[in-house]
Every structure is written in C-alpha cells, then in structure tokens.
Short mmCIF file of all heavy atoms in Angstrom, two decimals:
data_model
loop_
_atom_site.label_atom_id
_atom_site.label_comp_id
_atom_site.label_asym_id
_atom_site.label_seq_id
_atom_site.Cartn_x
_atom_site.Cartn_y
_atom_site.Cartn_z
N THR B 1 11.43 -4.38 -3.11
CA THR B 1 10.60 -4.78 -4.19
C THR B 1 9.07 -4.75 -3.77
O THR B 1 8.75 -5.44 -2.77
CB THR B 1 10.93 -6.17 -4.69
OG1 THR B 1 12.33 -6.24 -5.06
CG2 THR B 1 10.14 -6.61 -5.91
N ILE B 2 8.22 -4.04 -4.61
CA ILE B 2 6.85 -4.10 -4.28
C ILE B 2 6.16 -5.15 -5.19
O ILE B 2 6.55 -5.28 -6.39
CB ILE B 2 6.22 -2.76 -4.54
CG1 ILE B 2 4.71 -2.66 -4.02
CG2 ILE B 2 6.32 -2.20 -5.95
CD1 ILE B 2 4.24 -1.29 -3.99
N SER B 3 5.13 -5.86 -4.79
CA SER B 3 4.50 -6.88 -5.48
C SER B 3 3.08 -6.93 -4.95
O SER B 3 2.71 -6.29 -3.94
CB SER B 3 5.19 -8.22 -5.34
OG SER B 3 5.18 -8.68 -3.99
N ARG B 4 2.19 -7.64 -5.60
CA ARG B 4 0.79 -7.73 -5.27
C ARG B 4 0.11 -9.09 -5.46
O ARG B 4 0.76 -9.90 -6.28
CB ARG B 4 -0.04 -6.72 -6.07
CG ARG B 4 -0.08 -7.05 -7.52
CD ARG B 4 -0.72 -5.96 -8.34
NE ARG B 4 -0.76 -6.31 -9.85
CZ ARG B 4 -1.16 -5.49 -10.72
NH1 ARG B 4 -1.47 -4.19 -10.38
NH2 ARG B 4 -1.16 -5.91 -11.98
N ASP B 5 -0.85 -9.38 -4.82
CA ASP B 5 -1.68 -10.58 -4.94
C ASP B 5 -3.19 -9.97 -5.24
O ASP B 5 -3.84 -9.61 -4.27
CB ASP B 5 -1.64 -11.45 -3.72
CG ASP B 5 -2.39 -12.76 -3.99
OD1 ASP B 5 -3.28 -12.83 -4.86
OD2 ASP B 5 -2.06 -13.78 -3.32
N ASN B 6 -3.52 -10.00 -6.43
CA ASN B 6 -4.84 -9.36 -6.74
C ASN B 6 -6.00 -10.06 -6.12
O ASN B 6 -6.99 -9.49 -5.77
CB ASN B 6 -5.05 -9.36 -8.30
CG ASN B 6 -4.10 -8.25 -8.96
OD1 ASN B 6 -3.71 -7.22 -8.40
ND2 ASN B 6 -3.74 -8.56 -10.19
N ALA B 7 -5.86 -11.39 -6.14
CA ALA B 7 -6.99 -12.24 -5.55
C ALA B 7 -7.20 -11.90 -4.07
O ALA B 7 -8.28 -12.05 -3.53
CB ALA B 7 -6.70 -13.70 -5.67
N LYS B 8 -6.15 -11.43 -3.31
CA LYS B 8 -6.27 -11.10 -1.97
C LYS B 8 -6.23 -9.63 -1.70
O LYS B 8 -6.28 -9.28 -0.48
CB LYS B 8 -5.14 -11.73 -1.20
CG LYS B 8 -5.12 -13.27 -1.28
CD LYS B 8 -3.90 -13.81 -0.53
CE LYS B 8 -3.79 -15.39 -0.59
NZ LYS B 8 -2.58 -15.93 0.15
N ASN B 9 -6.27 -8.83 -2.75
CA ASN B 9 -6.24 -7.38 -2.62
C ASN B 9 -5.18 -6.95 -1.67
O ASN B 9 -5.29 -6.16 -0.73
CB ASN B 9 -7.63 -6.87 -2.06
CG ASN B 9 -8.76 -6.99 -3.06
OD1 ASN B 9 -8.46 -6.79 -4.25
ND2 ASN B 9 -10.00 -7.16 -2.61
N THR B 10 -4.00 -7.51 -1.89
CA THR B 10 -2.91 -7.34 -0.93
C THR B 10 -1.65 -6.88 -1.73
O THR B 10 -1.33 -7.37 -2.86
CB THR B 10 -2.57 -8.66 -0.21
OG1 THR B 10 -3.69 -9.04 0.60
CG2 THR B 10 -1.33 -8.48 0.76
N VAL B 11 -0.99 -5.98 -1.15
CA VAL B 11 0.31 -5.59 -1.69
C VAL B 11 1.44 -5.87 -0.60
O VAL B 11 1.20 -5.84 0.55
CB VAL B 11 0.28 -3.98 -1.98
CG1 VAL B 11 0.16 -3.21 -0.69
CG2 VAL B 11 1.55 -3.58 -2.70
N TYR B 12 2.66 -6.18 -1.09
CA TYR B 12 3.70 -6.51 -0.26
C TYR B 12 4.90 -5.60 -0.60
O TYR B 12 5.13 -4.99 -1.62
CB TYR B 12 4.22 -8.00 -0.59
CG TYR B 12 3.08 -9.01 -0.47
CD1 TYR B 12 2.35 -9.44 -1.60
CD2 TYR B 12 2.79 -9.62 0.77
CE1 TYR B 12 1.34 -10.36 -1.48
CE2 TYR B 12 1.79 -10.53 0.84
CZ TYR B 12 1.02 -10.87 -0.22
OH TYR B 12 0.03 -11.84 -0.18
N LEU B 13 5.81 -5.49 0.48
CA LEU B 13 7.10 -4.77 0.25
C LEU B 13 8.13 -5.70 0.81
O LEU B 13 8.23 -5.87 2.09
CB LEU B 13 7.03 -3.42 0.93
CG LEU B 13 8.31 -2.62 0.72
CD1 LEU B 13 8.33 -2.09 -0.64
CD2 LEU B 13 8.27 -1.35 1.66
N GLN B 14 8.91 -6.24 -0.10
CA GLN B 14 10.14 -6.97 0.33
C GLN B 14 11.19 -6.03 0.58
O GLN B 14 11.67 -5.41 -0.40
CB GLN B 14 10.45 -8.06 -0.63
CG GLN B 14 11.68 -8.82 -0.32
CD GLN B 14 11.46 -9.76 0.84
OE1 GLN B 14 10.39 -10.47 1.05
NE2 GLN B 14 12.45 -9.76 1.76
N MET B 15 11.83 -5.99 1.69
CA MET B 15 12.95 -5.03 2.06
C MET B 15 14.11 -5.93 2.39
O MET B 15 14.15 -6.60 3.32
CB MET B 15 12.48 -4.14 3.25
CG MET B 15 11.21 -3.41 3.04
SD MET B 15 10.81 -2.18 4.31
CE MET B 15 10.52 -3.45 5.73
N ASN B 16 15.12 -5.73 1.57
CA ASN B 16 16.37 -6.37 1.76
C ASN B 16 17.49 -5.36 2.06
O ASN B 16 17.39 -4.22 1.74
CB ASN B 16 16.78 -7.19 0.55
CG ASN B 16 15.73 -8.27 0.19
OD1 ASN B 16 15.20 -8.88 1.11
ND2 ASN B 16 15.58 -8.56 -1.03
N SER B 17 18.61 -5.90 2.54
CA SER B 17 19.79 -5.01 2.84
C SER B 17 19.37 -3.84 3.64
O SER B 17 19.81 -2.66 3.24
CB SER B 17 20.46 -4.68 1.52
OG SER B 17 20.95 -5.84 0.84
N LEU B 18 18.61 -3.96 4.67
CA LEU B 18 18.14 -2.90 5.42
C LEU B 18 19.18 -2.13 6.12
O LEU B 18 20.17 -2.64 6.54
CB LEU B 18 17.09 -3.33 6.52
CG LEU B 18 15.63 -3.69 6.01
CD1 LEU B 18 14.88 -4.55 6.85
CD2 LEU B 18 14.87 -2.36 5.71
N LYS B 19 18.98 -0.82 6.12
CA LYS B 19 20.01 0.16 6.71
C LYS B 19 19.31 0.91 7.92
O LYS B 19 18.14 0.99 7.96
CB LYS B 19 20.48 1.18 5.63
CG LYS B 19 21.06 0.55 4.43
CD LYS B 19 21.36 1.60 3.42
CE LYS B 19 21.97 1.07 2.17
NZ LYS B 19 22.30 2.02 1.12
N PRO B 20 20.15 1.42 8.84
CA PRO B 20 19.55 2.20 9.94
C PRO B 20 18.67 3.31 9.40
O PRO B 20 17.69 3.65 10.09
CB PRO B 20 20.80 2.70 10.67
CG PRO B 20 21.78 1.59 10.42
CD PRO B 20 21.62 1.14 8.98
N GLU B 21 19.04 3.97 8.30
CA GLU B 21 18.18 5.03 7.83
C GLU B 21 16.80 4.62 7.24
O GLU B 21 16.03 5.45 7.01
CB GLU B 21 18.96 5.86 6.67
CG GLU B 21 19.61 4.93 5.66
CD GLU B 21 21.09 4.59 5.87
OE1 GLU B 21 21.40 4.31 7.06
OE2 GLU B 21 21.81 4.75 4.96
N ASP B 22 16.61 3.35 7.12
CA ASP B 22 15.35 2.76 6.73
C ASP B 22 14.35 2.73 7.90
O ASP B 22 13.22 2.41 7.73
CB ASP B 22 15.44 1.36 6.14
CG ASP B 22 16.22 1.34 4.77
OD1 ASP B 22 16.00 2.28 4.07
OD2 ASP B 22 17.04 0.43 4.66
N GLU B 23 14.80 2.90 9.15
CA GLU B 23 14.01 2.83 10.30
C GLU B 23 12.95 3.93 10.29
O GLU B 23 13.28 5.18 10.16
CB GLU B 23 14.85 2.96 11.60
CG GLU B 23 14.01 2.86 12.94
CD GLU B 23 14.86 2.68 14.09
OE1 GLU B 23 15.82 1.87 14.07
OE2 GLU B 23 14.63 3.39 15.13
N ALA B 24 11.68 3.48 10.41
CA ALA B 24 10.54 4.42 10.27
C ALA B 24 9.28 3.74 10.47
O ALA B 24 9.28 2.42 10.56
CB ALA B 24 10.46 5.00 8.86
N VAL B 25 8.16 4.39 10.57
CA VAL B 25 6.86 3.91 10.51
C VAL B 25 6.44 3.80 9.11
O VAL B 25 6.44 4.81 8.39
CB VAL B 25 5.84 4.69 11.36
CG1 VAL B 25 4.48 4.04 11.22
CG2 VAL B 25 6.25 4.75 12.83
N TYR B 26 6.05 2.60 8.62
CA TYR B 26 5.68 2.38 7.24
C TYR B 26 4.16 2.42 7.15
O TYR B 26 3.46 1.65 7.90
CB TYR B 26 6.29 1.15 6.68
CG TYR B 26 7.80 1.16 6.38
CD1 TYR B 26 8.65 1.35 7.38
CD2 TYR B 26 8.26 1.23 5.03
CE1 TYR B 26 10.10 1.55 7.19
CE2 TYR B 26 9.55 1.38 4.80
CZ TYR B 26 10.47 1.53 5.77
OH TYR B 26 11.84 1.64 5.55
N TYR B 27 3.62 3.12 6.18
CA TYR B 27 2.25 3.22 5.97
C TYR B 27 1.76 2.77 4.66
O TYR B 27 2.36 3.08 3.65
CB TYR B 27 1.76 4.75 6.20
CG TYR B 27 2.03 5.37 7.47
CD1 TYR B 27 3.22 6.08 7.69
CD2 TYR B 27 1.03 5.28 8.44
CE1 TYR B 27 3.44 6.55 8.95
CE2 TYR B 27 1.22 5.91 9.66
CZ TYR B 27 2.48 6.53 9.97
OH TYR B 27 2.72 7.06 11.13
N CYS B 28 0.76 1.86 4.63
CA CYS B 28 0.15 1.41 3.46
C CYS B 28 -0.79 2.44 2.91
O CYS B 28 -1.52 3.07 3.65
CB CYS B 28 -0.49 0.15 3.59
SG CYS B 28 -1.38 -0.57 2.13
N ASN B 29 -0.88 2.64 1.62
CA ASN B 29 -1.75 3.57 0.95
C ASN B 29 -2.45 2.93 -0.21
O ASN B 29 -1.81 2.14 -0.98
CB ASN B 29 -1.08 4.82 0.43
CG ASN B 29 -1.92 5.79 -0.35
OD1 ASN B 29 -1.92 5.71 -1.68
ND2 ASN B 29 -2.68 6.54 0.27
N ALA B 30 -3.73 3.14 -0.37
CA ALA B 30 -4.46 2.68 -1.46
C ALA B 30 -5.33 3.72 -2.07
O ALA B 30 -6.03 4.40 -1.35
CB ALA B 30 -5.34 1.44 -1.01
N ASN B 31 -5.25 3.84 -3.40
CA ASN B 31 -6.22 4.69 -4.15
C ASN B 31 -7.30 3.80 -4.71
O ASN B 31 -6.94 2.92 -5.53
CB ASN B 31 -5.42 5.48 -5.25
CG ASN B 31 -6.43 6.41 -6.00
OD1 ASN B 31 -7.01 6.03 -6.95
ND2 ASN B 31 -6.63 7.60 -5.37
N LEU B 32 -8.48 3.95 -4.29
CA LEU B 32 -9.59 2.98 -4.64
C LEU B 32 -10.73 3.60 -5.46
O LEU B 32 -11.04 4.79 -5.15
CB LEU B 32 -10.14 2.42 -3.31
CG LEU B 32 -9.23 1.75 -2.38
CD1 LEU B 32 -9.93 1.39 -1.07
CD2 LEU B 32 -8.51 0.67 -2.92
N ARG B 33 -11.13 2.93 -6.44
CA ARG B 33 -12.39 3.29 -7.17
C ARG B 33 -13.54 2.87 -6.29
O ARG B 33 -13.89 1.65 -6.05
CB ARG B 33 -12.33 2.62 -8.50
CG ARG B 33 -13.66 2.80 -9.41
CD ARG B 33 -13.78 4.32 -9.79
NE ARG B 33 -12.56 4.68 -10.56
CZ ARG B 33 -12.56 4.42 -11.85
NH1 ARG B 33 -13.49 3.72 -12.51
NH2 ARG B 33 -11.52 4.81 -12.52
N MET B 34 -14.27 3.91 -5.83
CA MET B 34 -15.50 3.67 -5.00
C MET B 34 -16.68 3.62 -5.86
O MET B 34 -16.68 3.91 -7.04
CB MET B 34 -15.58 4.72 -3.93
CG MET B 34 -14.27 4.94 -3.10
SD MET B 34 -13.74 3.45 -2.22
CE MET B 34 -15.09 3.39 -0.90
N PRO B 35 -17.82 3.22 -5.29
CA PRO B 35 -19.08 3.18 -6.04
C PRO B 35 -19.36 4.59 -6.67
O PRO B 35 -19.01 5.66 -6.12
CB PRO B 35 -20.11 2.86 -4.92
CG PRO B 35 -19.40 1.98 -4.01
CD PRO B 35 -18.05 2.63 -3.97
N TYR B 36 -19.98 4.51 -7.84
CA TYR B 36 -20.20 5.69 -8.67
C TYR B 36 -19.01 6.42 -9.16
O TYR B 36 -19.01 7.64 -9.43
CB TYR B 36 -21.20 6.67 -7.94
CG TYR B 36 -22.44 5.97 -7.38
CD1 TYR B 36 -22.60 5.61 -6.11
CD2 TYR B 36 -23.37 5.58 -8.29
CE1 TYR B 36 -23.65 4.88 -5.66
CE2 TYR B 36 -24.50 4.86 -7.85
CZ TYR B 36 -24.67 4.60 -6.53
OH TYR B 36 -25.79 3.90 -6.15
N TYR B 37 -17.77 5.63 -9.26
CA TYR B 37 -16.69 6.18 -9.95
C TYR B 37 -16.03 7.27 -9.19
O TYR B 37 -15.40 8.18 -9.84
CB TYR B 37 -16.92 6.45 -11.38
CG TYR B 37 -17.43 5.24 -12.09
CD1 TYR B 37 -18.82 5.03 -12.32
CD2 TYR B 37 -16.56 4.30 -12.64
CE1 TYR B 37 -19.30 3.86 -12.94
CE2 TYR B 37 -17.02 3.12 -13.28
CZ TYR B 37 -18.34 2.96 -13.48
OH TYR B 37 -18.86 1.92 -14.11
N VAL B 38 -16.03 7.31 -7.86
CA VAL B 38 -15.33 8.33 -7.05
C VAL B 38 -14.07 7.56 -6.56
O VAL B 38 -14.12 6.56 -5.98
CB VAL B 38 -16.22 8.72 -5.91
CG1 VAL B 38 -15.36 9.62 -4.97
CG2 VAL B 38 -17.46 9.42 -6.42
N ASN B 39 -12.92 8.24 -6.80
CA ASN B 39 -11.61 7.68 -6.33
C ASN B 39 -11.25 8.37 -5.06
O ASN B 39 -11.32 9.54 -4.86
CB ASN B 39 -10.49 7.96 -7.45
CG ASN B 39 -10.82 7.33 -8.73
OD1 ASN B 39 -11.33 6.14 -8.72
ND2 ASN B 39 -10.50 7.96 -9.82
N GLN B 40 -10.76 7.52 -4.11
CA GLN B 40 -10.51 8.00 -2.81
C GLN B 40 -9.11 7.31 -2.34
O GLN B 40 -8.90 6.12 -2.62
CB GLN B 40 -11.56 7.70 -1.75
CG GLN B 40 -12.80 8.52 -2.09
CD GLN B 40 -13.85 8.33 -0.92
OE1 GLN B 40 -13.48 7.87 0.15
NE2 GLN B 40 -15.07 8.69 -1.19
N ASN B 41 -8.42 8.12 -1.52
CA ASN B 41 -7.19 7.50 -0.93
C ASN B 41 -7.48 7.12 0.54
O ASN B 41 -8.16 7.79 1.21
CB ASN B 41 -6.01 8.55 -0.85
CG ASN B 41 -5.40 8.65 -2.20
OD1 ASN B 41 -4.74 7.66 -2.65
ND2 ASN B 41 -5.33 9.90 -2.81
N TYR B 42 -6.83 5.92 0.89
CA TYR B 42 -7.04 5.42 2.23
C TYR B 42 -5.67 5.04 2.81
O TYR B 42 -4.69 4.68 2.00
CB TYR B 42 -7.82 4.21 2.30
CG TYR B 42 -9.35 4.54 1.99
CD1 TYR B 42 -9.87 4.55 0.67
CD2 TYR B 42 -10.24 4.82 3.07
CE1 TYR B 42 -11.11 4.86 0.46
CE2 TYR B 42 -11.48 5.17 2.81
CZ TYR B 42 -11.99 5.16 1.51
OH TYR B 42 -13.29 5.47 1.24
N TRP B 43 -5.47 5.06 4.12
CA TRP B 43 -4.24 4.86 4.72
C TRP B 43 -4.31 3.83 5.82
O TRP B 43 -5.32 3.67 6.55
CB TRP B 43 -3.67 6.08 5.41
CG TRP B 43 -3.21 7.21 4.48
CD1 TRP B 43 -4.10 8.15 3.97
CD2 TRP B 43 -2.04 7.36 3.79
NE1 TRP B 43 -3.31 8.97 3.12
CE2 TRP B 43 -2.06 8.51 3.01
CE3 TRP B 43 -0.88 6.68 3.91
CZ2 TRP B 43 -0.99 8.99 2.23
CZ3 TRP B 43 0.27 7.06 3.16
CH2 TRP B 43 0.18 8.21 2.33
N GLY B 44 -3.36 2.99 5.92
CA GLY B 44 -3.25 2.01 7.10
C GLY B 44 -2.76 2.81 8.26
O GLY B 44 -2.38 3.93 8.19
N GLN B 45 -2.77 2.07 9.44
CA GLN B 45 -2.34 2.73 10.71
C GLN B 45 -0.91 2.83 10.88
O GLN B 45 -0.42 3.50 11.71
CB GLN B 45 -3.04 1.97 11.85
CG GLN B 45 -2.48 0.56 12.09
CD GLN B 45 -3.14 -0.11 13.23
OE1 GLN B 45 -4.11 0.41 13.89
NE2 GLN B 45 -2.80 -1.29 13.45
#
C-alpha cells in the first residue's frame, strides 16, 4: 500500500506478506514541478 503525508513531502510503502521474490533494492522516485513550471524526475539512492 502506497500512502503520503503532504505536510512532510513524504511517501510511504507498506509492504505486507513479503515474499522472497520481493527482495530487491527499492528506489524512491519523484516527479517535481520546478521553478518556472519545469517538471523533473528525481531518484533516491
């Protein structure tokens, strides 16, 4: 389940019933409206 807290600019991913095939590196992605209305994608580490 994905959820968010707008006040904290934070997104969450609640992962239940995890399976071995879920094993991976998970990356956060954000599409952001930048100054002068330019949209850009950013990635977490």
